């Protein structure tokens, strides 16, 4: 602050006093001096107290007026325009509350999305100022940054190729006379520089944020803004107005001979989700029949268990007399830390076992008991935690990742084209549907919320089903033509092939042809 003559106004400590002169400022009439404020009277609260919204720092009166109108409209829509809570503060408060009611894996996904995406891009905004354009800007940035990451990955690929070329040139250089040694040293220096540049850029590699992850981020934001709307911190759930890239679920494909040949030639999988043919499945089962965990793989391939369900399965939930297992628990891995959790609501289910599964589980229980007796006799303490079905020899529980790693190892040793452990669920669904099991029964076995998910996501048309489908329509029209011609000709024999009729030769016509041939020979 200053006096009218320009001298500073001092506090008691001798420092210049700082404050807002507002209309008392002597330079107020200067067009380029100061900034504009707005102040509006809001509706009184429930106690009848006055509420006033005030904000400054606008360069022009028009900007201040537009902001005042925006705040007034938001207030009339029920938004608490006096709240100074930022997006970051709200999300922290919201996540703390949601953790008490969410599944552990869902809470982990929410925390990841908030930490990596929402707070860095929206956290500094006040909730009352958040708009759809800010939320859309986050996803526009993700799409643009993805392009940068793809370009950077291509650059790293070029750098590793250049480093390999430089390494080959250096190692191929002769080491005879001093000039050759000098050239070899120069080539090594080139290789060292290329290698260092590659290693530096490799550390900066980042995976692209795919459409599925964007959908997850949007879901987290939408859930948070839904609660913010109920708290009257915002006027709309802006996440519901976002435009995102379309998510196309990968289609499950079967390992047909041409696809296997291409995989052997290039090492590429035609789709992230692949299943074996019936022949390949039989070969895999024959190959792993002596594996210690064969009963577990049998449950995956024929009953569609998830790895978390496999790791959590307890003998208390296995009824071999009724030939049923009850899926009521799963083990989940979050940052490699294992937690017990309930399955999704529709995944709590009873699965009827086939006869081989019952036999294998009976034999496995005896084998497990024998192993524990041997360890006990050797003086090794036995862990019987939760009475799990699939455990180590000493009774301790496996980490869910063990089943994934072991499956991948067995698949590689078998020489068969690769499928993931989770693809075993696709295999179970495909074989059941190919065998004529009702889709609704397959849905219940897999624990899906809807029949559409079972049909669209997990049903792979195996080559054996293709062959049956290809001939079905032809057989239908063939049978129709055969019946139609039999009706017209009475008991006459009609041969029908490929949907087209082939009339038998008439005896009288054949006799006429033979007589004409004899007559022509006599004339000649």
């Amino acid at each position: 602050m200053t006096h009218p003559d320009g001298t500073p106004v001092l506090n008691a400590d001798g420092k210049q006093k700082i404050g807002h002169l507002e209309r008392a400022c002597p330079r107020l009439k200067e067009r380029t001096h100061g900034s504009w404020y707005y102040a509006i009277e809001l509706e009184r609260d429930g106690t009848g107290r006055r509420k006033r919204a005030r904000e400054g720092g606008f360069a022009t009166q028009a900007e201040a007026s537009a902001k005042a109108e925006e705040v007034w409209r938001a207030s009339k829509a029920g938004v608490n325009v006096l709240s100074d809570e930022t997006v970051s503060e709200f999300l922290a408060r919201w996540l703390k509350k949601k953790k008490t009611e969410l599944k552990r894996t869902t809470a982990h996904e929410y925390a990841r999305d908030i930490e990596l995406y929402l707070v860095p891009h929206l956290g500094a905004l006040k909730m009352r100022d958040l708009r759809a354009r800010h939320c859309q800007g986050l996803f526009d940035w993700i799409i643009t940054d993805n392009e940068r990451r793809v370009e950077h990955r291509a650059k790293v690929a070029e750098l590793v190729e250049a480093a390999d070329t430089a390494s080959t040139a250096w190692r191929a250089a002769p080491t005879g006379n001093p000039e050759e040694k000098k050239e070899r040293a120069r080539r090594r220096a080139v290789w060292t520089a290329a290698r260092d540049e590659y290693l530096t850029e490799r550390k900066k590699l980042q995976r692209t944020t795919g459409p599925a992850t964007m959908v997850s981020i949007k879901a987290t934001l939408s859930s948070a803004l839904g609660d913010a709307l109920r708290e009257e911190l915002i006027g709309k759930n802006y996440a519901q107005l976002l435009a995102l890239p379309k998510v196309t679920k990968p289609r499950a494909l079967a390992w047909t001979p041409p696809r296997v040949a291409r995989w052997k030639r290039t090492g590429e999988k035609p789709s992230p989700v692949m299943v074996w043919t019936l022949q390949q499945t039989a070969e895999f089962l024959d190959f792993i029949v002596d594996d210690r965990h064969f009963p577990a793989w049998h449950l995956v391939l024929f009953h569609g268990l998830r790895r978390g369900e496999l790791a959590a399965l307890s003998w208390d939930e296995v009824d071999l007399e009724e030939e049923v297992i009850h899926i009521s628990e799963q083990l989940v891995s979050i940052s490699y830390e294992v937690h017990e959790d309930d399955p999704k609501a529709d995944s709590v289910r009873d699965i009827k076992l086939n006869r081989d599964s019952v036999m294998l589980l009976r034999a496995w229980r005896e084998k497990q008991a024998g192993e524990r007796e041997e360890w006990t006799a050797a003086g090794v303490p036995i862990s019987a935690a939760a009475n799990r079905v699939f455990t180590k020899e000493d009774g301790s529980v496996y980490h869910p990742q063990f089943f994934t790693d072991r499956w991948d190892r067995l698949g590689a040793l078998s020489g068969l084209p690769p499928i993931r452990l989770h693809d075993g669920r696709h295999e179970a669904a495909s074989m059941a549907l190919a065998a004529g099991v009702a889709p609704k029964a397959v849905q219940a076995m897999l624990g899906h919320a809807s029949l559409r998910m079972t049909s669209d996501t997990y049903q792979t048309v195996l080559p054996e089903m293709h062959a049956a489908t290809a001939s079905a329509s032809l057989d239908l029209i063939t049978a129709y033509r055969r019946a139609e011609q039999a009706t017209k000709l009475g008991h006459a024999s009609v041969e029908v092939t490929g949907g087209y009729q082939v009339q038998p030769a008439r005896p009288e016509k054949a006799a006429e042809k033979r007589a004409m041939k004899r007559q022509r020979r006599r004339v000649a």
Side-chain angles (χ1 to χ4, degrees):
M1 298 178 63
T2 60
H3 294 289
D5 61 359
T7 58
V9 178
L10 304 179
N11 289 321
D13 57 2
K15 295 182 179 180
Q16 184 174 2
K17 188 175 181 180
I18 299 175
H20 299 286
L21 295 178
E22 299 182 350
R23 294 183 180 277
C25 179
R27 301 178 59 190
L28 189 60
K29 294 183 180 180
E30 299 179 18
R31 292 179 59 86
T32 59
H33 180 70
S35 60
W36 287 88
Y37 277 69
Y38 74 81
I40 55 177
E41 192 79 16
L42 305 176
E43 294 182 354
R44 297 175 183 266
D45 58 21
T47 63
R49 297 175 57 185
R50 296 175 59 190
K51 295 192 299 182
R52 191 183 189 204
R54 182 178 183 276
E55 187 178 358
F58 300 98
T60 65
Q61 183 180 9
E63 291 179 5
S65 178
K67 184 64 176 178
E69 184 177 355
E70 180 183 352
V71 171
W72 173 255
R73 287 199 304 269
S75 176
K76 296 297 288 184
V79 178
N80 182 5
V81 297
L82 299 182
S83 172
D84 288 327
E85 188 174 34
T86 64
V87 173
S88 178
E89 292 168 344
F90 167 75
L91 289 175
R93 175 171 63 84
W94 172 79
L95 183 61
K96 183 177 180 180
K97 180 188 69 173
K98 295 293 285 187
K99 280 185 175 180
T100 62
E101 57 189 66
L102 291 174
K103 291 179 64 63
R104 197 183 298 268
T105 51
T106 305
H108 176 71
E109 291 175 359
Y110 279 3
R112 176 204 63 193
D113 295 340
I114 289 172
E115 178 183 355
L116 297 181
Y117 299 98
L118 300 183
V119 167
H121 294 88
L122 305 174
L125 287 170
K126 293 182 179 179
M127 287 296 295
R128 69 186 189 210
D129 295 330
L130 183 65
R131 297 293 183 270
R133 64 179 181 275
H134 301 124
C135 301
Q136 187 64 56
L138 162 63
F139 291 94
D140 292 343
W141 174 86
I142 290 176
I143 294 172
T144 302
D145 195 57
N146 275 344
E147 296 174 357
R148 179 194 63 80
R149 296 182 183 189
V150 170
E151 292 176 357
H152 183 252
R153 189 169 293 276
K155 177 183 176 182
V156 171
E158 293 175 357
L159 289 176
V160 69
E161 185 176 351
D164 289 343
T165 302
S167 175
T168 301
W170 160 53
R171 298 180 187 282
T175 57
N177 55 51
E179 289 297 325
E180 291 176 340
K181 291 181 178 180
K182 184 177 180 181
E183 175 62 18
R184 182 179 175 86
R186 186 192 68 79
R187 293 185 183 183
R188 178 171 183 174
V190 171
W191 167 73
T192 301
R195 180 202 60 188
D196 292 346
E197 184 179 5
Y198 158 67
L199 293 176
T200 300
E201 293 300 322
R202 189 182 67 172
K203 293 179 181 178
K204 302 176 184 177
L205 279 175
Q206 294 176 298
R207 292 189 299 177
T208 57
T209 303
T213 303
M214 292 190 210
V215 170
S216 172
I217 299 169
K218 177 183 175 181
T220 301
L221 181 60
S222 180
S223 180
L225 296 187
D227 285 355
L229 183 62
R230 285 186 283 273
E231 293 183 25
E232 298 184 343
L233 296 176
I234 56 176
K236 295 180 182 178
N237 188 337
Y238 302 114
Q240 297 178 351
L241 308 177
L242 298 176
L244 300 184
K246 183 179 179 181
V247 177
T248 303
K249 291 185 178 180
R251 181 185 176 189
L253 300 176
W255 276 115
T256 58
R259 289 171 181 155
V260 174
R262 178 187 174 189
W263 165 72
K264 290 181 177 179
R265 186 174 65 254
T266 65
E268 297 178 359
K269 292 173 61 177
S271 171
V273 182
M274 300 297 297
V275 298
W276 288 317
T277 63
L278 298 182
Q279 178 184 352
Q280 292 162 346
T281 304
E283 291 179 5
F284 182 70
L285 290 170
D286 291 341
F287 179 79
I288 64 171
V289 69
D290 294 326
D291 185 72
R292 181 173 182 269
H293 303 91
F294 182 74
W297 314 135
H298 197 273
L299 290 178
V300 171
L301 286 171
F302 288 96
H303 300 294
L305 267 67
R306 301 177 177 91
R307 75 170 193 177
E309 297 168 349
L310 204 63
L313 185 61
S314 168
W315 282 115
D316 299 328
E317 299 297 326
V318 177
D319 189 342
L320 295 180
E321 296 301 323
E322 296 295 330
E323 301 181 349
V324 172
I325 59 175
H326 309 286
I327 303 300
S328 59
E329 187 181 7
Q330 66 175 341
L331 296 185
V332 296
S333 173
I334 300 176
S335 300
Y336 207 73
E337 183 179 346
V338 179
H339 303 274
E340 295 182 3
D341 204 353
D342 296 329
K344 298 177 181 178
D346 297 289
S347 294
V348 177
R349 62 199 188 277
D350 294 343
I351 299 178
K352 184 69 174 179
L353 299 174
N354 60 40
R355 57 182 179 275
D356 282 1
S357 295
V358 174
M359 177 190 67
L360 289 169
L361 285 175
R362 290 185 189 278
W364 170 251
R365 186 163 57 182
E366 294 178 4
K367 178 180 177 62
Q368 190 179 58
E371 290 176 345
R372 295 186 181 184
E373 289 178 2
E374 293 178 4
W375 282 66
T376 302
V380 179
I382 297 298
S383 171
N387 197 25
R388 304 291 185 197
V389 173
F390 299 107
T391 62
K392 301 176 185 178
E393 289 85 344
D394 64 350
S396 57
V397 180
Y398 282 116
H399 191 288
Q401 185 63 34
F402 165 80
F403 294 99
T404 299
D405 294 340
R406 183 62 181 167
W407 174 278
D408 292 343
R409 177 62 175 163
L410 291 171
L413 291 174
S414 71
L416 292 168
I419 71 169
R420 304 170 305 162
L421 176 60
H422 193 74
D423 293 341
R425 284 171 60 78
H426 295 259
E427 194 77 44
S430 299
M431 289 195 297
L433 291 165
V437 177
K440 196 66 179 177
V442 178
Q443 174 196 348
M445 179 183 72
L446 297 178
H448 286 160
S450 67
L451 182 60
R452 180 178 180 180
M453 182 177 183
T454 304
S455 301
D456 293 351
T457 306
Y458 285 87
Q459 180 178 359
T460 302
V461 180
L462 297 174
E464 292 78 7
M465 295 177 68
H466 275 302
T469 304
S471 300
S473 300
L474 186 62
D475 293 341
L476 184 65
I477 194 65
T478 299
Y480 168 76
R481 287 186 179 279
R482 183 180 293 116
E484 182 185 35
Q485 292 302 318
T487 302
K488 289 181 179 179
L489 300 177
H491 296 287
S493 174
V494 179
E495 181 184 358
V496 180
T497 304
Y500 298 91
Q501 60 188 20
V502 180
Q503 295 288 352
R506 296 174 61 183
E508 59 273 18
K509 291 290 185 181
E512 290 178 6
K513 289 181 179 180
R514 287 195 296 271
M516 290 178 66
K517 287 183 179 180
R518 289 195 296 270
Q519 183 66 25
R520 282 196 297 269
R521 284 197 295 270
R522 284 197 296 268
V523 172

